[in-house]
Structure formats: structure tokens, C-alpha cells
Amino acid sequence: MQIATARRTCLVSLALFALGVASGLAQAQTAWPSKPVKIVVPFAPGGTTDILARAVAPELTKAFGQSFVIENRAGAGGNIGAEQVAKSAADGYTLLMGTVGTHGINKSLFAKLAYDPQKDFAPITLVAGVPNVMVMNADRAKALGINSVPDFIAYARKHPGQLNMASSGSGTSIHLAGELFKTSTGIYMTHIPYGGSAPALLGLLSNQVDVMFDNLPSAMAFIKAGKLKAFAVTSAQRSGALPDLPTIAEAAPLKGFEATSWFGLLAPAGTPQAIVNRLQQETAKALNSPEIKEKLLAQGAIPSGNTPQEFAALIDAEIKKWAVVVKASGASVD
């Protein structure tokens, strides 16, 4: 009798302990976030990755009641910032604004990568997709008599090796768009990598470099101000933000030419799915709000907010797609 009673007491204690653990886990999960959340931008301030992160962060701050702060960690085509997040605690307090470079291109481009874009991250949501745009310093383009994509190709062929192209870093979509243009046209340009789109644009505006295939949102203000001459977008379709600007495939013509960019939120692998889901839901809500949606569309970005599963599938597909482009272009980074 005493043994049976003791056994029942033990079972009751174990059940209460299990309930307590479950309750504690639920409370911990409900409490997130209880401190500021960091969004790592793996490029310098002022570029499209930074612009999109700073558009989303205030909305997440309002939604969760905790600050979502931006930390710029530029270098190595986005790999430094991406590696930092990959090795961070999977607790929902460190996120990455990843790009087609960090999670689509770099796996094929870099001989050694300190992170795995598929295994080391939990995709949250695609924030936006954007076309790239081929731009020159407006004054330099005028001085050289370059007013279109065919003009540019003709000048480059007549003056081999005299033109160079800026990018936001080796392995970025800006870099690969330029490499694809080189192989598609048979021209040669020296690649000049910068630590982000904003520094590269400054180089372009100060005539340190000749051309850039920048993400449209970061170049838009300079195009509208007349400081940059835009020749064409690199997407398959024209951009609604600049509907009169042709695609490169239309302008050259270079049939099938396409090189677009995308940007999305990711967390370290192992981050609780409940946190990932809450982040996706609130980000999608922000991106679909009339104010944010209108703002991004005006800059040339197309907001998304898709599910973690859909974003993961996009990353898998993009890695395969860009492996072919990297091989065809011959681009590589040791």
C-alpha cells in the first residue's frame, strides 16, 4: 500500500514537473522579445540592403514593442555579416538582411565560405525583389558621347580596357550583373569592388569609376536628380518606377539577359519556429501596408512577405540558378 502511494506521488510530481517545464517554455516564448533585436546588414549604410532593413525595422519595433536596431557589417561581398549571424545564438535576437549575393551567388563564387546559406539559417521571409540598373555619371556619359546601351558597347569595343565597373563587392548581384553583361557583349571592363552600394555610387559620382549595375532603389534618387544617366534595367520586364527605361534585352538587344536582386530576413538555424513565424507575419503585414508598399514601389522595389517555406525554396532555386551564371561568366573569388 505504501509502495503504491509512493509511486502515485512520484508520478504526480513528475507530471507537475513536466507541466512546469512546458509552462516555463511557453512563458519564455511568449516573452520574446524582452530586449532589442539586432538586424545585421552585411553592407555599408546607404545601399539597397540598408534601405530595406531601415524600412522594415521601425515597423517591427512598433509591432513587438522592442527596438529593432540596424548593425552594418560590410565586407567580403556580404560574407562577414552573414557569418556573424550564422554563428550567433538561435534565440531570435540576431537577424540578417540577406541578399541574392549572400544566399544565392556566393556559394558558387567563393572558393571558401565560412557559412552554409542553406544549413546555417532559418529563412523568415523575402522582403523585396528589385531590378538592377545600368548607370553612368551623367557628365562623363555626355562627355564620351554615350547615350544608350549600344553606345556604351561601341565605345568599350573601340577603347578596350579603358572602362571599369564598380560594384558593392565581389559576389554581389551588382558584380554578377556586370560580369554577365561583359560575357554577353564580349567587352572587357576592370571590376572595382567597394564595401557597399553607397561607396560605389560615390566613386561613380566622383568619376573614379565608369559604370555600375546598381540596385535600382539606391540609384533612384541620383537618377531623378540627373546626376546619373540610366541606360536600362537588368530585369526581364521594365520597372514600374521607371516605365520609360528599357530592359537591357530590349536596348542592346541581348536576348534573355536578366540579372535581378532580392533581399530577405533570416535567423540563425535552430531559431524557434514560433519566433520565425511571428517575424514573418509582422513583416508581411508591414510590407502590405499602403504606406510602406507605396514607398518601396516608388523606389523600384517589389515588396513580398512570403512564408518561410516559400523563401527557403527560393534560396534553393537561386543557388542552382546562379551556379550556372557564375560558371558561364568565369567569375571567381579566392
Side-chain angles (χ1 to χ4, degrees), residues 109-221:
L109 187 70
F110 286 81
K112 295 181 180 179
L113 208 57
Y115 64 91
D116 188 303
Q118 292 156 299
K119 295 179 181 178
D120 293 340
F121 293 88
I124 297 170
T125 188
L126 176 69
V127 172
V130 305
N132 290 11
V133 60
M134 182 181 180
V135 289
M136 283 188 72
N137 179 302
D139 291 336
R140 179 156 175 75
K142 185 177 180 180
L144 297 179
I146 300 175
N147 296 301
S148 64
V149 177
D151 287 348
F152 185 92
I153 296 170
Y155 185 92
R157 286 174 175 164
K158 191 174 180 180
H159 304 86
Q162 292 186 21
L163 295 177
N164 54 46
M165 64 175 192
S167 84
S168 53
S170 296
T172 61
S173 69
I174 296 171
H175 171 208
L176 263 291
E179 293 292 345
L180 186 59
F181 186 79
K182 286 164 60 177
T183 57
S184 299
T185 58
I187 65 172
Y188 175 77
M189 295 183 288
T190 302
H191 173 223
I192 310 294
Y194 286 78
S197 179
L201 281 170
L202 287 176
L204 192 64
L205 292 166
S206 60
N207 277 325
Q208 294 175 12
V209 285
D210 298 303
V211 69
M212 186 174 174
F213 294 80
D214 193 28
N215 302 142
L216 184 54
S218 48
M220 182 68 81

